[in-house]
Amino acid sequence: MPTDDRSTDTPAAQPADAGTPADTPSADPTPSADTVTPEHRPPAGASAAMTWAPDGHDPLTVTATAGWTVLRREESPAAEVFAVAYTLDGADPGERPVTFVFNGGPGASSAFLHVGAIGPRRIVVPEDGSLPAMPVRLTDNDASWLPWTDLVFVDPVGTGFSRPVPAKDGEENGKDTKAGDPGYYSFASDLAALREFTSRWLSANGRWASPVWLAGESYGGYRIGRLARSLPVDEGVGLSGVVLISPAMELAPLTMTDYSVEGFVDVVPTMAAAALHHGRIRGVDDAAGVEEVMAAATSFAATDYVTFLAQGAAMAPERRAAVLSRLADLTGLDPALVERLHGRIPIDRFVRELLRDDQQVIGLYDATQTVVDPFPDREPFGGAEHTLHGMTAAFTMGANQVIRGEIGVTTERQYHLLSMAVNKAWRADEDAHALESPGGATDDLRYGLAVNPHLQVLVVHGRHDLVTALHTSQRLVNQMRLDPTAAGRVRLRAYDGGHMFYTLGHSRSAFTADVAELYGVTSPG
């Protein structure tokens, strides 16, 4: 795995005076604490006082600070990482935790968690979690974690306002520019950048005495599993706990082929939950709830169905027919279709087929959400995935309202909510064998739990997320071979909704209550 080749003798960059023109170097040539090298300064940041006072909560006064930290490679500035920090005024930094928050993708900014779930302000969405009317509005977030922790929302390189620093005079500055990658678009280099940012932020803000927590969503959950091991080892940052939100801890289940097993097994319970929600499930008690249905589907998937997938043509015809019939009933699909697919149902096919007779497509990221199929005669669905990309405008507008409008950052840069350029440029690490798959995060999380007997872990999912399915994490936790002490420090929770379950008010509230319990808070308000 590539080592972190940054220089360690330079303090972290701090936001410059808010009056400095955006995206231009400071006119003051004198090196100071906020410079990385005399010839390079990041754009000007901004800071603002903010009062968080949702109904039913005691008001809190926090300072919101937004700005760029410069990362270095081989003594040269290589990237400017943008982050927004909310710190409670007057709090004891030795007692007050600080939580670093990021999303996944790869290529996603932190805006989903920033203005959707955890930050002091969130976008207003309908009660059913569907797309709000534009322009999106903001409100004080009654489910924010601010009552018990400071928050730092981090945009990895290439996302949000974070950018690589262009090389000068043709020099590479220690960066690999192959395939559009400035040296940060791979598994190990991405983790190295997040570690560097974390330690620089702690140093620059005098927070090495604070309890440190991590929270990440989707591929951000993968990042957190890996950081649970490498952040203490490589940066000396001890962790109090981690929150993995709709995580992709292992990458293999995300790929479904005619020869794979795990991915197909893991999504059956979620498909059953979707079929129940839309009234298409068969062969279950009419009074059965979603948890009962998912438990039955999990039992089927982990026994008869996994045996069917593993045996293939070796399974006896009568038993094969019984398995396919049960699979069709649980998923709500036409038995003839399940037969044609040989019992392997890709999730993108499932979302087109479940409600095809109503000309509706359900969501990959939230199977409770539907959209009219504009091209029912075509394959595949003729547009962006509506439960993720359909929310792009809402989260982008919300992030810009907070960062530019409320905190006061002035920049001509576009806020990249989801960068497909970063996603497409992502690659395996150079020192890996040609046939070696990227390492998963579960082993690193196991290691972190073993060497840190105080580490607390919370893994959370939406029941209707087909992309990072609940059963995947249930299976992985059961396969981690944890001793009773470590197992007691791992919590797994599920809520109504999908990948971004926190768009549902009751799920967001339940999530926040579980996080407060994890942090040891008895009165979240």
Side-chain angles (χ1 to χ4, degrees):
M1 182 174 292
T3 58
D4 180 2
D5 57 3
R6 67 180 172 91
S7 172
T8 59
D9 59 357
T10 307
Q14 289 297 289
D17 177 47
T20 303
D23 295 335
T24 58
S26 169
D28 180 6
T30 305
S32 63
D34 66 353
T35 59
V36 172
T37 59
E39 69 276 8
H40 182 85
R41 286 179 181 265
S47 183
M50 180 179 292
T51 299
W52 176 79
D55 292 341
H57 293 262
D58 295 331
L60 297 177
T61 301
V62 299
T63 297
T65 304
W68 288 263
T69 295
V70 177
L71 308 186
R72 300 178 70 195
R73 292 206 168 179
E74 298 178 2
E75 303 299 329
S76 297
E80 298 167 344
V81 173
F82 183 80
V84 179
Y86 298 95
T87 54
L88 182 66
D89 293 352
D92 181 353
E95 299 291 335
R96 175 85 169 165
V98 57
T99 303
F100 294 88
V101 185
F102 33 83
N103 279 79
S109 71
S110 62
F112 295 95
L113 293 175
H114 184 181
V115 297
I118 298 175
R121 302 276 279 161
R122 66 170 176 84
I123 61 173
V124 177
V125 298
E127 285 300 313
D128 63 357
S130 59
L131 180 68
M134 297 295 130
V136 70
R137 303 301 183 190
L138 294 172
T139 187
D140 274 0
N141 180 19
D142 58 358
S144 177
W145 300 2
L146 275 178
W148 58 84
T149 180
D150 290 341
L151 298 165
V152 183
F153 294 94
V154 186
D155 292 338
V157 180
T159 75
F161 289 140
S162 299
R163 301 287 188 271
V165 175
K168 296 181 179 180
D169 302 323
E171 297 176 1
E172 293 299 320
N173 287 343
K175 298 177 287 185
D176 180 358
T177 58
K178 285 188 274 187
D181 176 13
Y184 290 99
Y185 302 160
S186 69
F187 297 95
S189 61
D190 170 69
L191 294 171
L194 292 173
R195 291 195 301 267
E196 179 180 355
F197 173 86
T198 301
S199 65
R200 285 194 185 280
W201 192 94
L202 293 173
S203 294
N205 291 275
R207 298 298 295 269
W208 281 94
S210 299
V212 176
W213 293 71
L214 304 177
E217 181 180 36
S218 197
Y219 183 76
Y222 173 90
R223 285 166 163 151
I224 283 182
R226 299 291 301 272
L227 290 171
R229 176 172 186 160
S230 65
L231 192 57
V233 170
D234 294 336
E235 294 289 345
V237 178
L239 296 174
S240 296
V242 295
V243 183
L244 292 81
I245 305 163
S246 303
M249 291 194 291
E250 297 292 314
L251 304 180
L254 299 176
T255 302
M256 294 180 173
T257 73
D258 283 347
Y259 316 104
S260 61
V261 172
E262 293 171 330
F264 291 103
V265 170
D266 289 345
V267 297
V268 168
T270 306
M271 290 180 175
L276 175 69
H277 178 85
H278 294 289
R280 298 302 177 97
I281 198 168
R282 303 183 294 270
V284 300
D285 190 293
D286 291 342
V290 64
E291 292 185 357
E292 182 180 350
V293 164
M294 293 188 77
T298 298
S299 177
F300 164 75
T303 54
D304 293 345
Y305 184 56
V306 72
T307 301
F308 161 80
L309 292 174
Q311 289 188 347
M315 178 170 279
E318 307 83 26
R319 189 177 180 192
R320 179 181 186 276
V323 170
L324 292 179
S325 177
R326 180 59 172 161
L327 179 63
D329 286 346
L330 286 171
T331 60
L333 297 178
D334 182 351
L337 172 64
V338 174
E339 173 69 34
R340 286 199 306 274
L341 295 174
H342 293 271
R344 293 175 180 267
I345 308 170
I347 57 176
D348 56 349
R349 188 68 181 270
F350 177 75
V351 300
R352 290 294 305 281
E353 298 293 343
L354 183 65
L355 301 180
R356 180 179 282 276
D357 54 355
D358 291 334
Q359 198 178 326
Q360 291 187 322
V361 179
I362 67 173
L364 281 171
Y365 289 85
D366 186 348
T368 68
Q369 302 295 318
T370 63
V371 66
V372 174
D373 191 343
F375 307 107
D377 56 327
R378 301 180 190 176
E379 295 288 351
F381 176 61
E385 206 289 322
H386 57 97
T387 52
L388 176 64
H389 297 282
M391 281 285 192
T392 296
F395 282 99
T396 301
M397 293 179 78
N400 276 289
Q401 287 180 44
V402 170
I403 297 169
R404 298 181 193 268
E406 299 190 1
I407 301 177
V409 171
T410 302
T411 177
E412 293 183 358
R413 293 184 183 183
Q414 179 184 0
Y415 191 88
H416 293 323
L417 181 79
L418 290 169
S419 173
M420 294 311 298
V422 171
N423 187 273
K424 290 178 181 179
W426 210 262
R427 58 182 175 78
D429 299 296
E430 284 189 343
D431 64 350
H433 185 275
L435 301 181
E436 183 179 347
S437 299
T442 313
D443 269 1
D444 285 351
L445 184 59
R446 287 173 64 180
Y447 181 90
L449 282 162
V451 300
N452 181 354
H454 309 290
L455 184 69
Q456 299 293 321
V457 177
L458 175 64
V459 182
V460 297
H461 280 270
R463 297 184 180 95
H464 298 93
D465 179 7
L466 288 161
V467 178
T468 56
L470 166 63
H471 182 58
T472 303
S473 288
Q474 290 174 329
R475 176 175 57 81
L476 291 172
V477 170
N478 288 333
Q479 293 174 338
M480 285 174 70
R481 304 175 183 86
L482 299 176
D483 69 272
T485 301
R489 291 183 279 119
V490 178
R491 300 167 171 87
L492 181 62
R493 300 289 186 269
Y495 314 105
D496 290 336
H499 199 74
M500 297 175 287
F501 56 82
Y502 44 78
T503 58
L504 298 175
H506 65 281
S507 294
R508 185 171 60 250
S509 296
F511 174 43
T512 299
D514 287 333
V515 172
E517 180 184 13
L518 182 76
Y519 279 69
V521 177
T522 56
S523 179

